[in-house]
Amino acid sequence: MSVLKKGLIFLLLGMTVLVAWLLFVPDEQPTPNFSSKNKIELLARILDHRNANTIREAGYGIPSDAEIRRVGGIDQLEMDGDLKWMVRVPSPDDNKILITSSTIIEGEKIDVAFSLDKKWVLLHASYFHTEKDGITNQVEVSDSQQTELLEKVQTALNRFVEKMEQELKT
């Protein structure tokens, strides 16, 4: 047998072993470090695309599998509670996280946007009201209203992390 034929046989054998390994060896996924002080990094690790089914089973809203494949990962998280919060999924090295919602304050629908740091402390808050003609105006809210909304979002985030810790460690 010539050297060329032996090389071709070893190459085909190697490719067959590689394909079989990729298809049949389970994807070992490390559990996120739930004791991490950096909650943004923890959230990003929990929202890895491999946890999509677990997140859905826990009752949280994420995009469809097709959308996750198209975008390259989970790009948003919906959390229901007193308010429906939309979390823009951070990368592990981000230093802030964006969370949005809508609420009624003094009879007006107000769109809320919070930017939180790695300990979920408020960095920036914006409140907007959109008129019927499409004009968006910034709204001022009282400190007590802001504190109440911030506590709600922090509670929702903490519940999500606690629930996912239970789900992913089982």
Side-chain angles (χ1 to χ4, degrees):
M1 192 182 275
S2 73
V3 174
L4 182 59
K5 285 183 182 179
K6 287 180 183 178
L8 187 58
I9 290 171
F10 280 118
L11 180 63
L12 289 173
L13 182 63
M15 289 176 54
T16 304
V17 169
L18 177 64
V19 168
W21 180 71
L22 289 173
L23 289 175
F24 299 111
V25 172
D27 219 9
E28 288 300 318
Q29 177 180 348
T31 303
N33 179 7
F34 287 96
S35 64
S36 174
K37 299 290 183 205
N38 185 340
K39 294 182 179 183
I40 291 177
E41 180 182 352
L42 174 60
L43 187 62
R45 299 276 185 242
I46 292 170
L47 292 170
D48 184 275
H49 70 280
R50 293 174 285 191
N51 295 329
N53 289 335
T54 306
I55 294 167
R56 283 189 196 104
E57 289 169 5
Y60 294 94
I62 58 173
S64 67
D65 288 336
E67 180 74 12
I68 291 171
R69 280 190 300 277
R70 187 180 65 76
V71 174
I74 299 171
D75 64 346
Q76 68 180 11
L77 169 69
E78 294 177 19
M79 298 184 304
D80 289 328
D82 292 345
L83 297 172
K84 183 175 185 175
W85 297 100
M86 296 293 292
V87 179
R88 164 93 173 61
V89 175
S91 69
D93 56 342
D94 281 347
N95 58 3
K96 60 185 171 182
I97 184 172
L98 177 65
I99 301 166
T100 59
S101 185
S102 293
T103 188
I104 305 295
I105 297 177
E106 296 175 8
E108 292 184 347
K109 180 182 175 199
I110 305 295
D111 296 317
V112 179
F114 285 135
S115 180
L116 305 178
D117 71 5
K118 66 182 181 179
K119 294 183 180 180
W120 293 340
V121 174
L122 183 65
L123 296 173
H124 179 74
S126 297
Y127 306 92
F128 297 94
H129 172 69
T130 304
E131 301 289 335
K132 291 181 181 175
D133 57 3
I135 297 173
T136 302
N137 299 315
Q138 190 161 2
V139 176
E140 295 294 322
V141 299
S142 69
D143 289 341
S144 63
Q145 290 171 323
Q146 178 169 301
T147 301
E148 180 183 341
L149 288 169
L150 180 60
E151 287 174 357
K152 286 180 181 182
V153 74
Q154 290 168 332
T155 300
L157 287 167
N158 285 327
R159 267 193 236 132
F160 173 74
V161 170
E162 289 168 6
K163 177 106 178 182
M164 294 314 300
E165 182 176 15
Q166 292 172 357
E167 296 292 325
L168 294 173
K169 286 191 173 183
T170 57

